[in-house]
Amino acid sequence: TQLLEQSPQFLSIQEGENLTVYCNSSSVFSSLQWYRQEPGEGPVLLVTVVTGGEVKKLKRLTFQFGDARKDSSLHITAAQPGDTGLYLCAGEDNYGQNFVFGPGTRLSVLP
Amino acid sequence: DTEVTQTPKHLVMGMTNKKSLKCEQHMGHRAMYWYKQKAKKPPELMFVYSYEKLSINESVPSRFSPECPNSSLLNLHLHALQPEDSALYLCASSQDWRGATEAFFGQGTRLTVV
């Protein structure tokens, strides 16, 4: 079973601050995805990273996939209250057999 | 259209009831999924359908019975549930269930078993 760990588990910051959350595994993943979920709603796909070392930007969000494809990070610049939510990473193992979610980082951006 | 539609949004049912959750997508995706999510936990995979055939059953109790009538629809039939089955049930779909596929989720059905 492929396991994904996320850190920090909880993060509370002020509006305008920058932050980085991490997704790590001891296993290699063929791809990793980041989702944002609000309470009572389904996860919304933010990005998929596939190539080791890949960096993708989505407005104020920057996603990076580690060179070894075992880890990923999400950096948010100038966080806004609308960024509040549960950030989940999810990945498919290198054999295309398993798709697993990390436990999530619960982000709260205070105005 | 990247929408996965789930109905109903909320459901309260007794332990002797029979009910069904429905999921629909029109993206031409050939893989569809049911997930269960308890409060403050990530989604847990229950079932995977690929090309309308059940590909993965993650040891889910038989009181949950999935059905895929066609490539756009996925149902989850519920019977004799327990209060601990109360959760958010999420449906998702993707182009395929292998490869670097992206899964799109519905808004979920909030199920309460009384």
Side-chain angles (χ1 to χ4, degrees), chain B residues 11-83:
Chain B
L11 178 62
V12 179
M13 62 184 287
M15 289 188 284
T16 59
N17 290 162
K18 283 186 181 181
K19 296 286 184 183
S20 296
L21 308 185
K22 297 187 182 301
C23 176
E24 189 168 0
Q25 58 88 14
H26 295 288
M27 294 177 277
H29 288 172
R30 302 318 299 263
M32 295 186 76
Y33 312 78
W34 281 115
Y35 285 85
K36 173 182 177 180
Q37 187 175 24
K38 301 284 276 185
K40 302 189 189 306
K41 297 288 187 182
E44 295 177 11
L45 183 64
M46 299 174 72
F47 302 104
V48 179
Y49 271 83
S50 177
Y51 290 83
E52 300 159 50
K53 287 186 169 30
L54 184 63
S55 297
I56 293 179
N57 176 343
E58 292 285 0
S59 302
V60 179
S62 60
R63 57 186 184 270
F64 295 92
S65 176
E67 179 198 15
C68 190
N70 60 55
S71 60
S72 299
L73 296 174
L74 185 66
N75 298 322
L76 185 62
H77 302 298
L78 314 172
H79 174 54
L81 295 194
Q82 303 297 311

Side-chain angles (χ1 to χ4, degrees), chain A residues 33 35 37 41-42 48 92 96 102, chain B residues 37 42 98-99 101-103 106-107:
Chain A
Q33 295 162 12
Y35 294 83
Q37 185 178 25
E41 302 288 331
T48 297
E92 183 179 58
Chain B
Q37 187 175 24
R98 293 185 176 185
T101 57
E102 298 173 328
Q107 289 195 316

Side-chain angles (χ1 to χ4, degrees), chain A residues 30-31 33 35 37 39-45 47-48 50 86 88 92 95-99 101-104 106, chain B residues 9 33 35 37 39-45 56 58 88 90 96-108 110:
Chain A
S30 63
S31 67
Q33 295 162 12
Y35 294 83
Q37 185 178 25
E41 302 288 331
V44 175
L45 179 66
V47 79
T48 297
V50 178
L86 177 66
L88 294 158
E92 183 179 58
Y95 303 99
Q97 298 290 328
N98 292 302
F99 183 78
F101 278 91
R106 197 165 295 278
Chain B
K9 193 165 173 61
Y33 312 78
Y35 285 85
Q37 187 175 24
K40 302 189 189 306
K41 297 288 187 182
E44 295 177 11
L45 183 64
I56 293 179
E58 292 285 0
L88 181 67
L90 294 162
D96 199 345
W97 75 286
R98 293 185 176 185
T101 57
E102 298 173 328
F104 294 89
F105 284 80
Q107 289 195 316
R110 171 69 60 191

